Amino acid sequence: MLEEEDKTDNERKIVFLGDAGVGKTSLISRFVNDSFPNAKPTIGAKPFSRSLQLNQSNKNIQLQIWDVTGQDKFRSLTNMYYRDADGAVLVFDVTRRETFESLKDFWIKELLDKGPENIQIAIIGNKCDITEKEVVTMKETQDFALHNKATYKFVSAKKNLNINDIFQKLG
């Protein structure tokens, strides 16, 4: 694991958190490999890496991206992955309200309690391409994000919608 003292000014550690099945692995695979995998549940955490040129400064940074399991049985271990993170992407499935409620009831509290004080947070609603099954609104997401001083976005890993925006905001 990349430790805080080993990071340079051009490196950022980003963790993806949220319940199992919300599409964390698919979002990361879309960004890193431009692919949409038939992903199996992540056990523990899986690291990814990619360089990114920031739009606002033309600065190149190296992203260390951690895909952290969302399975309940591993929740007590997840904090070791975001202790030294620069950014956290909290992902929910816009077609499953319980995944949004879980962000509010567990993930944000856990991150704010055990994560770094100055961590940047993005609230991401995945699967926005399935509009006919959407049960969490953009307004609810916006209110939750503003309350927690986070950015927010609705995205689709499958259709490759707004994926790069997540990383630009956290870089």
Side-chain angles (χ1 to χ4, degrees):
M1 182 163 37
L2 187 68
E3 297 297 327
E4 185 70 30
E5 59 270 8
D6 295 336
K7 286 194 277 186
T8 69
D9 287 342
N10 292 333
E11 294 176 318
R12 303 286 186 277
K13 180 179 176 184
I14 309 294
V15 294
F16 273 63
L17 305 170
D19 287 356
V22 296
K24 298 179 300 291
T25 302
S26 296
L27 288 168
I28 295 167
S29 292
R30 179 58 81 181
F31 177 70
V32 173
N33 304 314
D34 195 22
S35 66
F36 183 72
N38 186 7
K40 295 179 181 175
T42 302
I43 305 221
K46 184 176 180 184
F48 294 83
S49 180
R50 181 180 155 189
S51 61
L52 175 70
Q53 184 172 19
L54 297 176
N55 290 338
Q56 68 270 23
S57 66
N58 286 331
K59 180 180 179 179
N60 283 315
I61 61 170
Q62 186 67 31
L63 296 175
Q64 303 297 326
I65 306 163
W66 285 86
D67 181 5
V68 179
T69 186
Q71 296 179 48
D72 288 345
K73 63 185 173 183
F74 296 112
R75 279 189 175 177
S76 64
L77 303 173
T78 58
N79 67 5
M80 71 180 176
Y81 295 103
Y82 52 81
R83 275 194 301 235
D84 60 347
D86 299 297
V89 179
L90 302 179
V91 183
F92 70 96
D93 177 344
V94 300
T95 70
R96 294 174 41 220
R97 174 158 295 281
E98 69 273 11
T99 65
F100 181 67
E101 296 302 326
S102 183
L103 287 190
K104 295 179 356 185
D105 296 339
F106 176 76
W107 292 107
I108 193 74
K109 292 174 184 175
E110 178 80 359
L111 182 63
L112 294 175
D113 184 43
K114 297 178 181 169
E117 189 174 313
N118 58 348
I119 193 167
Q120 291 182 289
I121 302 171
I123 309 296
I124 302 301
N126 190 28
K127 305 181 186 181
C128 72
D129 55 302
I130 312 173
T131 55
E132 68 280 2
K133 293 185 179 178
E134 188 176 289
V135 295
V136 180
T137 67
M138 180 68 80
K139 175 73 170 122
E140 287 176 280
T141 306
Q142 177 185 27
D143 291 347
F144 176 57
L146 292 175
H147 178 75
N148 289 287
K149 299 178 179 89
T151 61
Y152 65 95
K153 197 70 134 173
F154 272 24
V155 303
S156 170
K158 185 175 185 179
K159 300 283 186 180
N160 197 16
L161 297 173
N162 300 322
I163 306 300
N164 199 50
D165 294 352
I166 300 166
F167 296 93
Q168 285 290 333
K169 288 183 180 192
L170 292 175

